[in-house]
Amino acid sequence: MLTTPGFPAGTLDDEGCPVWTTSLYGPDHLMFYLVRDLEPAAALEVLGADPARAVPCALPAEAPAELDTRSLPATVLDSEAETVLLAGRVRGWTFVMDDANTTDDLGDDPAAALSAATPGPAVSLHIDINALNRLCYAEDGEPVFETDFDNVESDVAELPADAPAVVRAAIDAAGNLDELIEDDEDDDEDYSDRRDHAFLDRLACALAGANWTYDELRAADLIAVELD
């Protein structure tokens, strides 16, 4: 049986992904960022958005059971923009969701740029329908731990002895990767892919202690910026 020590009841969806992330997106390609001790407006600016264009974005009382091709903030704003960035702060961590993967075009991993702008660390998670998911944890402007969909099993199994304690703790909090990959009684490849994807989501969130509920997310002062 899969255990996820860092995620209490009500913080994961049926596929083991953090509910606060999956409640927000419907598109195929997007980015999530988490950064410590940086205000949402400042994080948006680092990512190339103009915080002066930000508007409040109040989420509905209940997350939709399913989203179409638009993210939840794009739906709330009835936006036809190419990209919507949603930002807010929960428990000292700022998150930014880029619903079209636009900010991934900034060159080096934006997590490094975010961590350079604050004394705290930053995390990026790239979610891709083609299973090109990748994760980066950065401190002081430099990547400290990186992995992706194809290599997460070996990267976790062969974690260097000098890996930061926060990375080890996050792996433990995210759950047992062997269970995720091997707990597949029907040998269904698609099922294994979904479980692996869920582990990456949890690992990214665990690096920031972001085991938030949808209600916690909704209670934050959320702002959104449309990018054309």
Side-chain angles (χ1 to χ4, degrees):
M1 180 179 178
L2 174 66
T3 57
T4 53
F7 293 85
T11 62
L12 299 176
D13 67 12
D14 292 341
E15 291 193 354
C17 294
V19 293
W20 76 266
T21 63
T22 54
S23 66
L24 291 176
Y25 66 83
D28 300 332
H29 307 276
L30 67 151
M31 293 288 296
F32 276 101
Y33 303 99
L34 291 154
V35 57
R36 181 79 185 183
D37 298 329
L38 190 67
E39 292 297 326
L44 288 170
E45 190 167 18
V46 171
L47 294 172
D50 180 0
R53 296 180 59 189
V55 297
C57 185
L59 301 182
E62 294 185 7
E66 186 175 343
L67 290 166
D68 56 18
T69 57
R70 295 194 299 178
S71 66
L72 182 54
T75 301
V76 168
L77 298 177
D78 194 23
S79 173
E80 297 297 336
E82 179 180 340
T83 304
V84 174
L85 305 183
L86 179 73
R89 193 170 188 181
V90 182
R91 302 186 208 162
W93 282 83
T94 287
F95 79 89
V96 179
M97 185 198 73
D98 167 358
D99 72 0
N101 194 25
T102 301
T103 52
D104 195 35
D105 297 333
L106 295 179
D108 293 338
D109 195 294
L114 285 167
S115 70
T118 174
V123 183
S124 66
L125 175 65
H126 175 190
I127 297 174
D128 188 295
I129 192 174
N130 297 314
L132 302 175
N133 300 358
R134 64 182 185 273
L135 176 156
C136 176
Y137 175 79
E139 295 178 349
D140 300 320
E142 297 292 336
V144 173
F145 174 74
E146 297 178 272
T147 189
D148 57 36
F149 180 86
D150 290 331
N151 298 297
V152 63
E153 185 176 12
S154 60
D155 288 343
V156 167
E158 301 167 11
L159 196 67
D162 60 352
V166 65
V167 174
R168 293 187 178 279
I171 290 171
D172 290 341
N176 188 296
L177 180 58
D178 290 338
E179 277 189 78
L180 287 174
I181 291 176
E182 295 173 4
D183 185 18
D184 184 5
E185 297 178 359
D186 298 326
D187 194 27
D188 182 337
E189 182 178 353
D190 290 340
Y191 176 83
S192 294
D193 287 351
R194 290 200 303 273
R195 307 316 291 184
D196 201 20
H197 163 79
F199 179 83
L200 277 178
D201 281 15
R202 290 201 308 279
L203 180 56
C205 291
L207 284 163
N211 56 356
W212 311 329
T213 65
Y214 177 76
D215 287 342
E216 284 183 279
L217 175 69
R218 182 173 172 270
D221 292 326
L222 303 177
I223 54 176
V225 176
E226 295 176 289
L227 302 180
D228 297 323

